[in-house]
Amino acid sequence: MDLRNGPSGTPIMTVIDIFAWIVLLVLVGTLVAIVAALGMMPGRIARKRGHPWAEAVAVGSWATLVFGFVFWPLVLIWAYVDVPARRETPR
């Protein structure tokens, strides 16, 4: 029995199979890169804008991606919204 052929005499891996595996690996790599970019984006925006809670925005971004994408847009908005300065009350 030839090791390059299956039981019916057909090749085990054809060119189409190899191409399909390459496409699958590229898609998985692209998906991982997109998730990483989305996870880092609000934290980078908050740090760049000098947000007082930039680290909390970064942690919130990764947490929402891990536990569900629902609140990620809120974290992105939070990265753009600065906390207003406190007004001092007269004594």
Side-chain angles (χ1 to χ4, degrees):
M1 181 172 154
D2 190 4
L3 294 177
R4 292 179 299 175
N5 292 333
S8 64
T10 60
I12 293 174
M13 290 286 283
T14 63
V15 175
I16 297 290
D17 292 332
I18 294 170
F19 179 72
W21 277 106
I22 291 171
V23 169
L24 180 65
L25 291 175
V26 168
L27 286 175
V28 168
T30 302
L31 181 66
V32 168
I34 288 172
V35 168
L38 288 176
M40 289 186 289
M41 188 168 57
R44 283 186 177 182
I45 291 170
R47 281 187 210 97
K48 185 173 130 182
R49 293 177 53 86
H51 196 284
W53 297 319
E55 200 60 35
V57 172
V59 170
S61 174
W62 284 108
T64 58
L65 284 180
V66 170
F67 294 115
F69 191 75
V70 177
F71 294 115
W72 186 86
L74 294 176
V75 175
L76 183 62
I77 292 169
W78 186 24
Y80 280 103
V81 175
D82 291 336
V83 177
R86 286 190 173 183
R87 289 182 283 167
E88 292 188 27
T89 57
R91 293 183 181 189

